[in-house]
Amino acid sequence: MKKILALCLSFVLLFSLSTTAFAAEWWDESAGSGETTITGHIYSSYQISIPATIALEYEYTQCPVTISQCNIENGYSVNVYCTNLVDSSIVLQRGNGVESIRGYLTNSEGYSVSNDNPLIVSFQQSDITNGDSTTKYFTMTYDKMGLPGDYSGIMQYSFCCEPISE
């Protein structure tokens, strides 16, 4: 009896063992394959430097704007604009804040900077050699009539890379 029981248990053990089966890969007939085109664009890159302080000492003071580490795309220019003009000028106030005079800008092309034309400097690809630094100058002058003393003001500016308009 023990032998029969051992034989039955052996069969149970044998049938409970699993074997690895490899099935064919499943295929969804509604699936497919294809390809897509990937595109990208590298935009112009540059750094603009304008002095933090410009001391107006002469009748016309040259004010530098430098572009460096630049790679400008064909058909584009980097333009620098004065953004806080009041009646086409920068307001310079005397220390007490009561008296003020006006500062006037002339862009790098020799034209007056105004509310209608706030461009002070424009850099195009042809102005830059091998990505080297390039400096252009705008000019600033100010009213000489007013109470004696020190005057100061803030010139706010913005810059951007824009398509060249013909």
Side-chain angles (χ1 to χ4, degrees):
M1 182 71 163
K2 287 184 184 181
K3 289 184 182 184
I4 296 176
L5 183 59
L7 186 60
C8 286
L9 288 176
S10 296
F11 282 122
V12 168
L13 180 64
L14 183 64
F15 288 123
S16 68
L17 294 175
S18 65
T19 60
T20 305
F22 296 100
E25 188 173 320
W26 179 76
W27 179 259
D28 181 1
E29 292 186 21
S30 66
S33 64
E35 61 183 43
T36 188
T37 301
I38 308 295
T39 63
H41 185 87
I42 297 176
Y43 292 94
S44 299
S45 61
Y46 55 90
Q47 286 187 342
I48 294 289
S49 299
I50 296 176
T53 301
I54 297 172
L56 301 177
E57 299 176 2
Y58 307 105
E59 186 172 342
Y60 294 98
T61 301
Q62 295 287 315
C63 308
V65 178
T66 302
I67 190 168
S68 60
Q69 299 180 11
C70 51
N71 189 6
I72 300 175
E73 186 174 359
N74 287 334
Y76 282 78
S77 63
V78 175
N79 298 319
V80 182
Y81 299 95
C82 182
T83 59
N84 66 326
L85 294 170
V86 175
D87 295 328
S88 299
S89 63
I90 303 283
V91 177
L92 305 172
Q93 292 187 323
R94 195 165 158 235
N96 62 10
V98 176
E99 291 87 21
S100 64
I101 60 174
R102 300 295 178 137
Y104 302 97
L105 304 169
T106 304
N107 68 23
S108 60
E109 302 296 319
Y111 298 107
S112 294
V113 176
S114 66
N115 292 74
D116 295 331
N117 182 25
L119 178 70
I120 57 176
V121 174
S122 181
F123 295 97
Q124 296 183 10
Q125 189 179 37
S126 60
D127 297 326
I128 299 154
T129 307
N130 299 326
D132 294 337
S133 295
T134 300
T135 301
K136 286 191 172 184
Y137 296 87
F138 66 95
T139 305
M140 189 163 191
T141 186
Y142 61 99
D143 291 334
K144 302 294 190 280
M145 301 300 291
L147 294 175
D150 292 327
Y151 290 80
S152 66
I154 301 289
M155 180 185 79
Q156 295 174 344
Y157 59 90
S158 67
F159 51 88
C160 59
C161 188
E162 303 174 303
I164 296 172
S165 59
E166 297 297 327

